[in-house]
Amino acid sequence: MKKTMIQYFEWDLPADRTLYKKLTNEASSLARTGFNMVWMPPATKGAGGVFDVGYGAYDLYDLGEFNQKGSRSTKYGTKAQYLRAIGALQHKQIDVIADVVLNHKMGGDTLEDAIASTVIRYDRNEVQEGTHPVKTWTGFTFAERNNTYSSFQWTWRHFTGTDYNAATGQNDILLFENKRWNDRVSHENGNYDFIMGCDVDFTNPDVLSELYTWGRWYTQLTGINGFRLDAVKNIDSSFFKCWLEEMHRTGNHPDFAVGEFWTGDLWELKQYLKDCDYCMRLMDVPLHYELQRASMSNGTYDIRHLFLNTLSRTDPHHACAFVDNHDTQPGQSLESWVLDWFKTAAYASILLYRCECPCVFYGDYYGLPSSGREPVHNLREMVWIRSHLLSDNMLDLFDEDRQKACWMAYGPHPVVVIYTIADWKEKVFTEPNYAGYRMVDVMDPSHVETFDAQGTIRVTCRPGCASVYILEKDYARMKKELEKAVPKRGRKTKRI
């Protein structure tokens, strides 16, 4: 079965605590459409309470259960609603991928006195100011949880550094006395152990014990099927192999993991995979940047080489392809949006070609009201085609035209894709086994082409557009099944 994941959140969702309910209601629709993996947002309470997307990690044991940071619920709902959504997805044979944020903590409960050095922001190996007294929000007591599930309380000794000195009101990067940044991390900014908040010290044995204890508790309680691991470039590369092996021993024995190592440098991704002993997939950030470049090139990009320097080409078994996500959407820190005109072609490239584990972004599937973006044209149809029709036998139909991409998935349910980053394009080819077959362009159903008696066909696409051709009978089946996949809404009461 082909993997097809959806990232089921975006950064600007309203803080109305309804996402888990929506996901529960749409489990059947997602399954019918063809998704078999759902990446859910971080479930733990963030420092911003209901306004926290989940990456300002505060209390890993609070899944929307305790009255902390202004509410019991997280931005997405309560613990009970979270567990209900997981059950609804798994009932439809959809694997649940949990977003886990272990690198840092934010929103400390108490100030502590400590000694630290100030390091240069863009070269963390260089000291700007030697050791001096500081006051830091590094005491995490979780008073409202009152030791439920765990009595572990965090102090500055459990962190390598932090980014705020309350004594001066300065946002400096502080390295605590007798601590050193971990060497087994990205070398961006000299050393990228620190990213934000209170940086968890992965060399502290008490910290490691607690992270294993929490992981076992969480995995058993939720029964999730896998992990999306946040900010792995900032975490000791030796940590996850053993941690994931331990998590696999419990609960539903989760056997899937994908890490976020944000870099456009393919070599860095390959090196990290080697360093962590290939214990996870990595998000294919280089491919994302190639898609963005293609969308911004005004037709000058050589689309035939889209995958050349990507993880999806060089190590497909350890790659997770995506077009955009919550960090790249407009207004975010890593904004690098693939332009809207190219989105359909971009998704055709990851869903209908050779990518083993593509991920669809919530904001592309449902739209982004905050920035006026509509759902990507025919994205649901492409997900369905991947799930129900697409074979692994790909026949490349690229030629000397650098502005045109074209291929066919060969099999009992042929799929032909052609798209252009410039003007109108066509491709003529012959496949005798399909002689007489009628093909419908999913993007424009009035556009029908037929393999002639010799098996020759001419497929075309409009300027700056994509065409996806499938058999006429497959198109009829798809329409019928996608109509059934529309989520059922509550009946409206007729007003008299």
Side-chain angles (χ1 to χ4, degrees):
M1 179 184 296
K2 290 185 179 296
K3 289 181 171 66
T4 312
M5 186 191 307
I6 181 169
Q7 177 188 354
Y8 206 84
F9 64 101
E10 54 105 347
W11 201 272
D12 296 322
L13 286 173
D16 58 9
R17 318 176 198 193
T18 63
L19 186 72
Y20 293 154
K21 291 181 181 178
K22 177 180 179 180
L23 184 50
T24 300
N25 292 336
E26 298 206 353
S28 179
S29 171
L30 293 170
R32 282 183 175 273
T33 300
F35 291 107
N36 49 31
M37 303 174 76
V38 168
W39 161 13
M40 293 182 69
T44 54
K45 185 71 62 68
V50 295
F51 300 103
D52 201 303
V53 175
Y55 296 105
Y58 167 65
D59 185 358
L60 295 178
Y61 287 97
D62 187 353
L63 306 181
E65 181 179 6
F66 302 98
N67 189 13
Q68 301 186 110
K69 299 305 177 185
S71 69
R72 293 189 183 278
S73 172
T74 68
K75 183 177 185 177
Y76 311 108
T78 65
K79 173 186 174 183
Q81 291 165 345
Y82 177 58
L83 297 177
R84 194 174 301 124
I86 291 172
L89 291 168
Q90 292 176 338
H91 180 68
K92 295 298 180 181
Q93 287 72 56
I94 296 176
D95 286 348
V96 176
I97 309 305
D99 202 326
V100 173
V101 185
L102 301 181
N103 174 75
H104 53 271
K105 299 184 77 64
M106 301 178 77
D109 301 307
T110 61
L111 275 170
E112 294 186 308
D113 292 309
I115 303 296
S117 302
T118 301
V119 301
I120 296 175
R121 187 168 295 276
Y122 298 107
D123 187 353
R124 279 75 180 283
N125 293 319
E126 293 296 321
V127 175
Q128 179 176 311
E129 181 182 356
T131 53
H132 58 282
V134 295
K135 284 187 177 292
T136 57
W137 287 100
T138 45
F140 291 79
T141 60
F142 316 117
E144 294 297 330
R145 178 158 59 78
N146 194 25
N147 295 330
T148 304
Y149 306 129
S150 172
S151 60
F152 190 86
Q153 296 188 356
W154 297 70
T155 73
W156 70 264
R157 293 172 179 81
H158 300 120
F159 302 109
T160 311
T162 190
D163 58 0
Y164 179 70
N165 183 0
T168 62
Q170 295 294 313
N171 292 103
D172 295 322
I173 299 179
L174 304 173
L175 176 64
F176 288 125
E177 187 178 31
N178 298 323
K179 299 275 188 171
R180 63 192 301 270
W181 304 123
N182 197 301
D183 292 329
R184 293 186 288 267
V185 296
S186 166
H187 296 297
E188 188 176 337
N189 294 325
N191 179 292
Y192 217 13
D193 186 353
F194 180 86
I195 182 173
M196 66 174 73
C198 301
D199 185 67
V200 173
D201 183 356
F202 283 84
T203 67
N204 185 306
D206 293 334
V207 167
L208 293 176
S209 176
E210 176 63 6
L211 293 180
Y212 274 81
T213 298
W214 172 80
R216 286 187 288 266
W217 170 83
Y218 177 77
T219 303
Q220 290 169 357
L221 172 71
T222 61
I224 48 90
N225 305 100
F227 300 94
R228 182 267 182 185
L229 305 168
D230 185 59
V232 298
K233 71 188 290 183
N234 312 103
I235 297 174
D236 185 338
S237 59
S238 68
F239 170 75
F240 279 116
K241 181 178 188 294
C242 295
W243 189 85
L244 288 169
E245 286 176 353
E246 178 63 19
M247 296 312 109
H248 180 66
R249 295 188 183 101
T250 190
N252 279 341
H253 308 291
D255 58 1
F256 177 90
V258 56
E260 178 220 23
F261 189 117
W262 197 268
T263 179
D265 187 329
L266 175 62
W267 183 90
E268 283 191 90
L269 295 185
K270 295 176 75 171
Q271 184 62 44
Y272 184 83
L273 286 170
K274 181 179 178 182
D275 290 345
C276 76
D277 200 20
Y278 300 91
C279 68
M280 66 181 78
R281 292 177 181 262
L282 292 177
M283 303 302 292
D284 194 349
V285 180
L287 175 58
H288 159 73
Y289 281 128
E290 291 301 324
L291 291 167
Q292 188 202 25
R293 289 187 190 102
S295 76
M296 301 176 70
S297 71
N298 198 27
T300 61
Y301 185 94
D302 191 340
I303 203 66
R304 299 171 301 176
H305 300 151
L306 175 67
F307 286 93
L308 185 61
N309 294 306
T310 69
L311 198 60
S312 295
R313 168 66 62 84
T314 61
D315 191 355
H317 301 312
H318 292 99
C320 184
F322 69 103
V323 176
D324 273 304
N325 67 18
H326 62 292
D327 283 324
T328 70
Q329 71 182 84
Q332 293 313 306
S333 59
L334 296 171
E335 180 179 343
S336 45
W337 192 247
V338 175
L339 297 185
D340 295 344
W341 74 268
F342 186 63
K343 276 292 178 76
T344 298
Y347 272 107
S349 296
I350 71 168
L351 290 171
L352 303 180
Y353 195 47
R354 290 187 166 94
C355 295
E356 293 187 10
C357 185
C359 183
V360 172
F361 178 41
Y362 181 101
D364 288 329
Y365 194 71
Y366 293 101
L368 286 174
S370 62
S371 57
R373 260 78 180 188
E374 296 293 324
V376 172
H377 182 57
N378 286 119
L379 182 50
R380 290 175 74 241
E381 285 78 2
M382 287 190 282
V383 172
W384 187 92
I385 290 169
R386 174 179 176 82
S387 173
H388 296 85
L389 305 179
L390 199 71
S391 75
D392 292 324
N393 189 0
M394 293 290 167
L395 176 64
D396 287 333
L397 298 170
F398 297 90
D399 53 34
E400 71 284 351
D401 189 341
R402 59 186 288 135
Q403 298 175 328
K404 177 179 69 185
C406 190
W407 67 87
M408 179 174 70
Y410 186 92
H413 302 278
V415 178
V416 180
V417 178
I418 180 172
Y419 70 78
T420 172
I421 59 171
D423 300 325
W424 178 94
K425 300 293 181 183
E426 70 172 3
K427 180 68 180 180
V428 178
F429 67 96
T430 301
E431 180 45 65
N433 289 331
Y434 294 138
Y437 284 21
R438 285 169 58 85
M439 306 288 285
V440 176
D441 181 1
V442 173
M443 306 300 170
D444 178 8
S446 66
H447 185 193
V448 179
E449 300 287 352
T450 304
F451 285 93
D452 67 17
Q454 286 72 45
T456 299
I457 193 171
R458 171 179 170 269
V459 293
T460 65
C461 61
R462 292 175 296 171
C465 292
S467 290
V468 177
Y469 295 85
I470 61 176
L471 291 177
E472 201 169 37
K473 63 179 182 180
D474 289 334
Y475 179 78
R477 176 187 163 205
M478 179 186 70
K479 278 191 64 178
K480 185 176 180 180
E481 293 196 11
L482 286 180
E483 284 173 5
K484 292 179 182 178
V486 175
K488 293 180 180 179
R489 305 299 182 192
R491 239 181 234 180
K492 294 181 180 178
T493 302
K494 189 175 181 181
R495 297 184 66 180
I496 299 175

